Amino acid sequence: KILRNLSFATAAPGPSQGYPPMRPADNELLCRVGPGTPMGNLLRRYWWPVGFSQKVTNLPVPTRILGEDLVLFRDGAGKIGLLDRSCPHRSASLENGRVEDKGLRCCYHGWLFAADGRCVDMPAEPPDTPLMKHVKARAYSTQEAGGLIFGYLGPAPAPLLPAYDLLVRDDIDRVVRAGLDRCNWLQRAENGADPCHSMALHASVYPSIALKRPNVVYERTWYGMRFGIKYEGGSENVFHQIMPAHTRRLGARTVDKRPAQYLHFRVPLDDYNTLTYIIEATKTEDGKPGTLTTRGSHSLPPNTTHERIDDGWWGIASRDQDRVAQESQGVIVDRSKETLATSDQGIAMFRRMLRDGLYAIANGGDPMGVIRDAAKNRMIEFDAKKNFTDIDETYKEVKAEVG
């Protein structure tokens, strides 16, 4: 019944050349991601980054996603476990446990859990206790790719982890990192579906396109959307929005290094916080095997937004511009107060895709971008490119370093 009444983003621009506003109830539906919520059920059909491969070694690592508190560990055989952080015995946190060859041992009474959640030791119980066969920690599937650990929290069978180019290529140097955004996941995801913000928000680093009206070609694809943007003067940009919340782009806002290819994963920690994982990739010389550098996660202290700078525009450093804009909307923006214009076509398209995904799983299907056929999961390449930058004179004509 809830899904039948959805009304957002279903109408084309009207006489006012704008889209109708969203109802508060629909906004709530799109934003809430906890267990049992409609959007939470949809997002659980996808694989999500939950940690860094190089950071999960001999200690358990706490993580949070979609409102669930979990713990990562690597057993003696190198297998990654992703378990509910609460021990099924007496609810002590497995974050305080000890990693052993066979799994993760709880600090409270020593129960030992394998990577698949099975309890394999209860030291205070008789050796032949039948209880051990019936106790299992909630465990989720994991895979490693591109320096990241991915988790799948949805129903079995799990789909394939998509073989995005920056996850699977051998001939690239990768830097992986993540940053905390103190706002709802949808604000961060919609930024990736909004090609018209760059000419304003990023005017300080792209003065050649500052406040120039972009000519955008919006293309719906099997994985999400492709945006082709042209500006007066010949500047062009192509980037991709990958369902449900990811962006594949060429980054040319740089001072001390070459332009690089980027893959952003905007991970909903809960309804109020988002962790954006980033893979930055540059091609190696002569196709040699690449390196992996893990910078880990960072966040500003609470109640801190950004350092003001003198740039002649907004006073926001390049690295903070997107985050500051979305956090300034509020932790969860009230979309019933929006005035969407024709230049918000990408936002409207993205919301329709979310609606279609909700309908798909309600009818027993898969949402957009989910892959189950291995023959269709060969390396997935993207033509992300940009022919301009105004920071480094060396790169007046920017060429992708991966491609």
Side-chain angles (χ1 to χ4, degrees):
K1 181 178 179 181
I2 294 174
L3 299 184
R4 284 199 303 269
N5 292 331
L6 286 179
S7 64
F8 58 85
T10 57
S16 65
Q17 295 302 301
Y19 294 85
M22 184 183 296
R23 298 181 311 189
D26 292 339
N27 190 45
E28 281 287 299
L29 183 144
L30 289 179
C31 293
R32 303 298 178 179
V33 299
T37 61
M39 186 54 60
N41 290 340
L42 170 60
L43 297 181
R44 282 169 171 77
R45 305 303 176 100
Y46 296 92
W47 287 90
W48 293 94
V50 292
F52 300 98
S53 292
Q54 291 182 335
K55 295 290 187 180
V56 180
T57 53
N58 60 345
L59 294 173
V61 176
T63 188
R64 182 170 172 81
I65 180 172
L66 296 171
E68 298 190 38
D69 289 315
L70 309 174
V71 62
L72 281 165
F73 68 94
R74 190 186 299 274
D75 68 17
K79 187 174 182 180
I80 292 287
L82 180 62
L83 306 182
D84 188 310
R85 205 181 301 177
S86 179
C87 178
H89 179 206
R90 299 271 305 280
S91 298
S93 176
L94 293 175
E95 173 187 356
N96 301 315
R98 184 176 74 173
V99 177
E100 302 182 2
D101 283 346
K102 294 184 178 180
L104 179 61
R105 190 178 295 277
C106 180
C107 70
Y108 198 11
H109 296 89
W111 289 18
L112 179 65
F113 298 94
D116 61 4
R118 290 178 300 111
C119 186
V120 295
D121 188 29
M122 296 177 173
E125 297 297 311
D128 58 349
T129 176
L131 182 62
M132 195 154 52
K133 297 179 181 180
H134 301 285
V135 173
K136 187 173 183 180
R138 187 163 73 249
Y140 294 117
S141 299
T142 61
Q143 289 191 51
E144 295 185 81
L148 299 178
I149 300 169
F150 289 81
Y152 176 75
L153 280 66
L160 299 174
L161 176 64
Y164 302 136
D165 49 5
L166 300 194
L167 288 181
V168 300
R169 288 187 67 153
D170 295 324
D171 60 341
I172 55 177
D173 292 322
R174 292 180 181 86
V175 176
V176 292
R177 63 182 188 274
L180 179 66
D181 310 302
R182 293 187 174 92
C183 62
N184 183 260
W185 78 279
L186 189 56
Q187 284 151 244
R188 296 295 286 126
E190 287 184 337
N191 185 64
D194 179 12
C196 294
H197 79 273
S198 294
M199 57 88 192
L201 180 61
H202 304 314
S204 63
V205 287
Y206 292 146
S208 67
I209 66 169
L211 301 185
K212 291 184 178 180
R213 181 175 181 268
N215 181 6
V216 184
V217 175
Y218 300 86
E219 179 184 350
R220 182 167 174 144
T221 65
W222 68 266
Y223 54 81
M225 290 179 281
R226 179 186 185 273
F227 301 98
I229 307 106
K230 294 184 178 181
Y231 300 89
E232 179 185 344
S235 297
E236 299 183 17
N237 184 18
V238 174
F239 70 94
H240 303 259
Q241 177 82 342
I242 304 170
M243 292 296 284
H246 317 318
T247 297
R248 179 69 175 79
R249 67 180 181 90
L250 170 69
R253 281 186 285 158
T254 178
V255 177
D256 58 351
K257 55 189 175 183
R258 298 176 298 173
Q261 293 282 354
Y262 288 84
L263 180 56
H264 298 247
F265 299 95
R266 302 176 182 92
V267 180
L269 303 186
D270 47 43
D271 294 341
Y272 311 109
N273 296 279
T274 305
L275 190 63
T276 300
Y277 285 83
I278 299 173
I279 297 178
E280 174 188 320
T282 53
K283 193 173 182 179
T284 61
E285 295 182 7
D286 302 323
K288 297 177 181 177
T291 60
L292 173 63
T293 302
T294 302
R295 293 182 180 166
S297 300
H298 72 275
S299 63
L300 293 173
N303 303 316
T304 302
T305 56
H306 64 287
E307 179 183 356
R308 302 294 295 188
I309 65 170
D310 183 10
D311 63 2
W313 285 91
W314 323 119
I316 308 171
S318 173
R319 65 181 180 275
D320 294 325
Q321 288 167 350
D322 290 297
R323 178 186 58 79
V324 169
Q326 280 101 68
E327 289 183 351
S328 74
Q329 294 174 296
V331 178
I332 298 181
V333 65
D334 183 355
R335 291 175 176 80
S336 68
K337 297 180 179 179
E338 290 179 331
T339 304
L340 293 189
T342 57
S343 56
D344 295 306
Q345 183 177 342
I347 301 296
M349 289 176 64
F350 178 59
R351 292 176 184 175
R352 290 189 196 109
M353 292 174 185
L354 293 177
R355 176 203 60 189
D356 294 346
L358 290 169
Y359 287 150
I361 64 171
N363 291 309
D366 283 325
M368 173 182 283
V370 168
I371 303 174
R372 296 191 182 275
D373 185 352
K376 297 180 180 179
N377 199 35
R378 297 185 177 93
M379 185 170 65
I380 302 165
E381 298 185 86
F382 300 91
D383 64 336
K385 56 188 177 182
K386 184 180 287 146
N387 72 348
F388 62 94
T389 178
D390 294 281
I391 293 295
D392 186 345
E393 290 295 321
T394 306
Y395 290 97
K396 283 186 177 292
E397 184 73 16
V398 177
K399 297 190 181 298
E401 294 299 323
V402 178

